[in-house]
């Protein structure tokens, strides 16, 4: 795999991790809304299960954030080390000139 393709794949993974992070945040918000609604309702099963679900999703979010920070830094460092901006410029020039 050439350097530019590798970098683009790395960027794609960063975007997917960001999307996963947003999804987990949305799940936490939904669980929180159900917990608030259940305060009025008082269902015992929800009282027992929702806090555990909330904690597991929160733990997953923490793991995702850590992986995202690591991989975003790795992607940036790879791009800097391999002069990806210059490679992209050259690729654009090559496309225009038909090389």
């Amino acid at each position: 795999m050439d350097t530019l393709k590798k970098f683009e794949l790395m960027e794609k993974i960063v975007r997917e991790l960001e999307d996963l992070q947003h999804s987990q945040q949305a799940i936490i918000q939904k669980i929180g809304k159900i917990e608030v609604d259940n305060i009025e309702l008082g269902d015992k099963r929800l009282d027992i299960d929702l806090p555990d679900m909330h904690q597991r999703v929160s733990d997953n979010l923490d793991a995702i954030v850590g992986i995202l920070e690591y991989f975003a830094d790795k992607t940036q460092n790879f791009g800097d080390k391999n002069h990806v901006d210059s490679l992209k410029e050259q690729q654009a020039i090559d496309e225009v000139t038909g090389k």
Side-chain angles (χ1 to χ4, degrees), residues 32-77:
K33 288 177 183 176
I34 295 169
E35 287 175 314
V36 168
D37 289 341
N38 192 50
I39 290 171
E40 186 176 333
L41 184 63
D43 185 89
K44 295 297 180 196
R45 172 91 189 256
L46 296 179
D47 281 340
I48 293 169
D49 290 345
L50 288 174
D52 292 337
M53 286 175 56
H54 193 186
Q55 186 60 52
R56 286 192 304 268
V57 174
S58 181
D59 291 344
N60 285 339
L61 177 59
D62 291 342
I64 291 165
V65 167
I67 292 168
L68 174 58
E69 289 173 357
Y70 155 79
F71 203 74
D73 286 344
K74 181 175 182 167
T75 301
Q76 183 64 45
N77 290 337

